[in-house]
Amino acid sequence: MLKFTTHYFTMTETDALEYARTIPNFFPENASLICQEIGDGNMNYVFRIEDQDTKKSLIIKQAGPTARISDQFKLSTDRNRIETELLKLQNKLAPGLVPLIYHYDELMSCCVMEDLSDHQILRKALLEYKTFPLFSEHITTFLVNTLLLTSDVVLNHKEKKSLVKNFINPKLCEISEDLVYTEPFFDCKNNEIFPLTKAFAQAELWSDDAFRLETAKLKFEFMANAQSLIHGDLHTGSIFVTPQSTKIIDPEFGFYGPAGYDIGNVIANLIFAYLHADAEITDFIQKSKYLEWLTKTIKEIIDLFSLKFTASWQKHVTEPTANYPGFAEYYLSSILRDTAAVTGLELCRRIIGLAHVADITSIRNMNKRLRAEKIGLTMGKHFITNRTTIKSGQDFINVLTSTIAKITPLNTDI
Ligand code: SR1
Ligand code: MG
């Protein structure tokens, strides 16, 4: 159809439905299709198209010229190419753990992919206090396969450099450099800090020069350490789940960066689910059980990652110097250090910065929200400052439980 072949425009639901008919060999010619825009993220437009007779469906994801969260972010629509190519590569490295791509359209900056409506976004499921016994197993396979197998340890170095070039993602990296590494650490006008938390951020983070120096060092590591082809935004809103299945979506922030960035994002967002449950569940037994499952999951993710990483290293390493005694341990320990640091950065930026998480903003009692935010920021600072000593799953849990014990429950009457 000529309409979609001459120039780029942002699609309405009617356009997306028409577009779906142009995809070869998917829907029958006169299928009775319905279309709904279902995107709820900060960036793009997501259309679900279903054949009402057969119930066969697909997703069209289109990148607009600005971010959905704010027109202030002028963005390159190339992010849709990055997302498409990364999903295809991740499907080879970690089969079954990402949605299938059916089609990519450079002109319209959209991709067509598998509909995962039988899954639920992990953040929403965790806010309903659901548990996913296979999640730690699945996510650690995804992390090890996508992070180690794209690194210089395994890939031919010329092949790796050509991937670095293909996945250069300057505009979206700039967003992370600003929103994750810069703005949360001073009283920036772009921050959307909860008014009751501002004095705490000022006293504990913004006026601590030694702490801010650590965040500056981490920012330069994020910009300069082209270690692995990372997802770049692996929070619980980028993960679809069922009890049996995990699918990682949305790698538009992907680029060659520190491997620990992805792991730290997963851990921090599970901690947000923990803080939500701690503040909102009133039944003592239900709360204990749920917090226990989250604790176990966080611990398992760190420890299973280390185990699987070591096994995969032994199987796949090709770089001769990486075989020197002690190098594998040195390399893994630097990833765990970065994981702790990014856990801390993500905790701070989602509380202070522009882009918040529902786990915290949906805590109804203002005093409980203030307490959750203080715990998050205190933990965040600890993870960043003490990153070289936090290595095992138990180390991560110790930071969580000791910080919670320190910040006493407040008067909940406000
Ligand atoms: C302008 S985008 C704000 C945030 O949403 C995305 O999901 C990333 O996390 C980004 O930092
Ligand atoms: Mg996203």
Side-chain angles (χ1 to χ4, degrees), residues 126-127 268-278 290-291 294 359:
L126 296 177
L127 294 182
N269 281 277
L270 291 173
I271 292 176
F272 281 128
Y274 187 107
L275 294 178
H276 178 90
D278 188 40
Y290 197 60
L291 296 185
L294 281 168
D359 315 49

Side-chain angles (χ1 to χ4, degrees), residues 89 92-93 149-152 154-167 229 256 318:
L89 180 61
K92 287 189 190 137
L93 298 170
L149 303 185
T150 59
S151 74
D152 279 308
V154 173
L155 283 186
N156 167 285
H157 299 180
K158 289 199 203 78
E159 192 189 337
K160 185 249 180 174
K161 285 178 178 68
S162 100
L163 285 171
V164 173
K165 185 172 163 193
N166 190 47
F167 288 102
L229 185 49
Y256 258 90
T318 62

Side-chain angles (χ1 to χ4, degrees), residues 109-148:
S109 293
C110 71
C111 55
V112 182
M113 67 176 99
E114 184 182 4
D115 179 22
L116 297 170
S117 300
D118 56 334
H119 289 58
Q120 189 180 16
I121 285 289
L122 179 58
R123 190 183 306 284
K124 289 188 186 146
L126 296 177
L127 294 182
E128 292 166 12
Y129 314 128
K130 294 181 180 162
T131 58
F132 297 91
L134 297 178
F135 176 66
S136 50
E137 188 64 52
H138 292 162
I139 195 73
T140 49
T141 298
F142 177 83
L143 290 166
V144 169
N145 292 11
T146 58
L147 298 173
L148 180 59

Side-chain angles (χ1 to χ4, degrees), residues 41 48 51 58 67 107 179 196 202 236 241 285 287 352:
R48 178 175 185 273
D51 180 336
L58 53 72
L107 179 72
L179 267 59
L196 298 180
Q202 178 70 57
T236 45
V241 281
I285 295 181
K287 185 193 281 202
I352 299 176

Side-chain angles (χ1 to χ4, degrees), residues 49-116:
I49 293 105
E50 184 188 273
D51 180 336
Q52 287 181 287
D53 298 320
T54 63
K55 304 294 173 204
K56 199 174 172 194
S57 58
L58 53 72
I59 294 292
I60 300 174
K61 180 168 180 181
Q62 187 180 36
T66 57
R68 197 172 173 147
I69 189 177
S70 154
D71 280 357
Q72 181 199 324
F73 294 96
K74 312 276 178 242
L75 300 174
S76 159
T77 48
D78 186 49
R79 67 187 188 278
N80 196 267
R81 176 193 64 82
I82 294 208
E83 171 164 358
T84 304
E85 293 187 9
L86 240 169
L87 283 172
K88 285 182 177 171
L89 180 61
Q90 288 169 341
N91 192 44
K92 287 189 190 137
L93 298 170
L97 292 171
V98 295
L100 295 173
I101 289 285
Y102 301 143
H103 177 71
Y104 170 64
D105 183 332
E106 188 184 355
L107 179 72
M108 292 300 292
S109 293
C110 71
C111 55
V112 182
M113 67 176 99
E114 184 182 4
D115 179 22
L116 297 170

